[in-house]
Amino acid sequence: MRFTRSALDSFRGGSLPDLLADHTRLLFVGTNPGLRAVAVQAHFGGGGSNRFHPALYRAGIVDRRIDASAGFLPEDLAHLHERGLGITSLVAGASARADELTAEQLIAGADALSERVGRVAPAVVAVLGITAYRTAFARPQAKVGRQPDPLGGAPVWVVPNPSGLNKHASLADLANAYREVAIAAGIELFTTSD
């Protein structure tokens, strides 16, 4: 599915509904949706540069390669639900890049996220990206890994952002971090061939 730059720009500020299982065990929290993700209505549906779905597969969290670049296939969406995975965002409005967001937007997003996590009650929350976490939660010295304070009653981990712009985290790094939070959430892993 191809979009012109102006077509993608028309999705600026648009949003995606949260992807939540009946019993969400592991809630991944992105910074905000990208324009292409909103265009295809699929979290991390940005195409080849985003490594979220490949990292889930490589970590053994899902048993198949999911390609959300044209939207989720019904069977892939069902698989994510069955696995107890949820996906939401700190900030609902789409932008071309996360660095377009203001500190005020991230802080307001953290407040809303705390309430959402309290309602969803996941076993673990995994925030994707240390920079957004530090700003949103006023933790300028936070490091990647488990955080000392829970959110909405759930333990919080900060894991690397899967964006292709995050060059210092390899796909293997992402998979290792995502595997760790999945184990903490009590998700049984698959053995993958990667």
Side-chain angles (χ1 to χ4, degrees), residues 43-100:
H43 292 274
F44 302 101
S49 67
N50 194 290
R51 301 165 297 161
F52 179 76
H53 294 291
L56 290 184
Y57 175 71
R58 190 162 184 179
I61 297 170
V62 295
D63 68 357
R64 64 192 74 166
R65 295 176 191 274
I66 294 175
D67 178 358
S69 63
F72 285 116
L73 295 175
E75 58 270 22
D76 290 338
L77 199 53
H79 184 57
L80 293 170
H81 288 153
E82 289 162 8
R83 299 295 292 154
L85 301 179
I87 306 172
T88 190
S89 299
L90 268 172
V91 176
S95 65
R97 295 171 53 113
D99 62 8
E100 296 175 19

Side-chain angles (χ1 to χ4, degrees), residues 108-132:
D111 291 340
L113 178 64
S114 180
E115 179 185 317
R116 197 171 328 130
V117 169
R119 270 194 332 269
V120 175
V124 170
V125 174
V127 178
L128 301 164
I130 190 67
T131 302

Side-chain angles (χ1 to χ4, degrees), residues 170-183:
S170 68
L171 181 58
D173 296 334
L174 297 173
N176 289 336
Y178 298 1
R179 183 181 305 113
E180 186 176 15
V181 294
I183 291 168

Side-chain angles (χ1 to χ4, degrees), residues 87-167:
I87 306 172
T88 190
S89 299
L90 268 172
V91 176
S95 65
R97 295 171 53 113
D99 62 8
E100 296 175 19
L101 301 174
T102 66
E104 292 77 18
Q105 288 175 298
L106 291 168
I107 292 165
D111 291 340
L113 178 64
S114 180
E115 179 185 317
R116 197 171 328 130
V117 169
R119 270 194 332 269
V120 175
V124 170
V125 174
V127 178
L128 301 164
I130 190 67
T131 302
Y133 178 83
R134 287 174 175 159
T135 301
F137 293 94
R139 303 268 189 243
Q141 302 304 314
K143 305 256 189 273
V144 171
R146 186 164 181 178
Q147 302 305 303
D149 299 317
L151 180 66
V156 177
W157 297 68
V158 176
V159 296
N161 189 313
S163 168
L165 299 174
N166 182 11
K167 303 287 187 209

